[in-house]
Amino acid sequence: MTTNADYTDIIAAFIDGEPVLPEALTDALARAEGRELLIELLALRDIVAIDWTAAAPAAASVSPRARPWFALASAAALALAAVGGYAAGMRHASDRMTALRAERVVDNPPAPTVVVTVDRWQETQKGGGS
Amino acid sequence: MADAETLFAQHQPAVLRYLTRVVGQPDAARDLTQDVFLRISRTSVPETTGTELRAWVFRIARNLAINHLRDRSRRPVSVALSDEPGSASTETAVAVREALHRLPDLDRDVFLLREVGGLSYDELASVCELTPDAVRSRLHRARVELRRLLANAIDTRRRQPVRLSHKS
């Protein structure tokens, strides 16, 4: 019977095309762990065999040489946006103030519609009657 | 005795696959593959057997890859990934790339030379200047670590039919 240490070597050697003794392979595959390992190693081999040479570029990481420029450009864009936003806000506020001042100058006060005159003092009774 | 042209015909695809995975950039891998066979064409091919010649070709490829990675020193790689029907998902490809880059350099080399280059244990020992026992040990360690790091992808993959050999 194969030991824990060598059933992995036997299975690995078998899938790597190395010569293995038939009895050793039989023993290794008689173990559930051996069969499990065989399937796992074949699955691992398959996912490592992904074609990376095709042209479609994806998931490209930013090269570190580009990173300082990227950071600098980001900072500059943020600063520009902040200054631009501040300037736009100031211009808008200034325009609004000018418009308000213009309204005050141009518009006359409204003409009175009700004139309240003060008569002589009258005493009233409690409850609203006169 | 094999000449450079014969070696190119026999080993160029495997060398390109190996270099693509090692350097992570198809364009750089293509340039390095050209360099490998340019060097071979400028030197005298050793008078040895087929497997020793393959080890010799891959030793040149590995040395050029090491120099390339040293020059690029610790820059993360940009990888072009295929998302064509029939190929694995981009997420899996990224996970594989990241898992491979977590391995110690020599373990990764041994693993990729075996899985992608198709080298035998004796050839791996020759290329990486290790004993065959050290090759087995590093290969085993790399596989244990990759099975741990890629457990989800392996779990997904093993629900599909498996085969003993694969087309790389």
Side-chain angles (χ1 to χ4, degrees), chain A residues 29-50:
Chain A
L29 291 174
R31 306 170 69 116
E33 310 98 287
R35 295 192 293 275
E36 183 72 10
L37 178 67
L38 176 66
I39 301 297
E40 287 230 345
L41 292 183
L42 292 177
L44 174 63
R45 174 169 291 175
D46 248 29
I47 62 171
V48 170
I50 293 165

Side-chain angles (χ1 to χ4, degrees), chain A residues 8-18 20 25 29 37-45, chain B residues 111 114-115 121 139 143 163-166:
Chain A
T8 56
D9 286 346
I10 297 292
I11 299 286
F14 174 63
I15 68 158
D16 288 338
E18 298 290 324
V20 292
L25 182 60
L29 291 174
L37 178 67
L38 176 66
I39 301 297
E40 287 230 345
L41 292 183
L42 292 177
L44 174 63
R45 174 169 291 175
Chain B
F111 178 79
R114 168 56 234 146
E115 293 292 342
Y121 291 177
L139 202 49
R143 283 170 166 160
R163 58 187 169 219
L164 194 54
S165 60
H166 63 84

Side-chain angles (χ1 to χ4, degrees), chain B residues 6 9 13 21 60 76 80 97 118-119 136 159:
Chain B
T6 309
R21 279 154 181 81
I60 294 170
R97 178 173 62 93
L119 271 60
R136 281 191 192 86
R159 289 180 208 141

Side-chain angles (χ1 to χ4, degrees), chain A residues 84-101:
Chain A
Y86 179 76
M90 287 300 288
R91 193 181 306 122
H92 178 74
S94 173
D95 291 345
R96 180 77 187 132
M97 289 299 289
T98 306
L100 284 173
R101 279 193 207 106

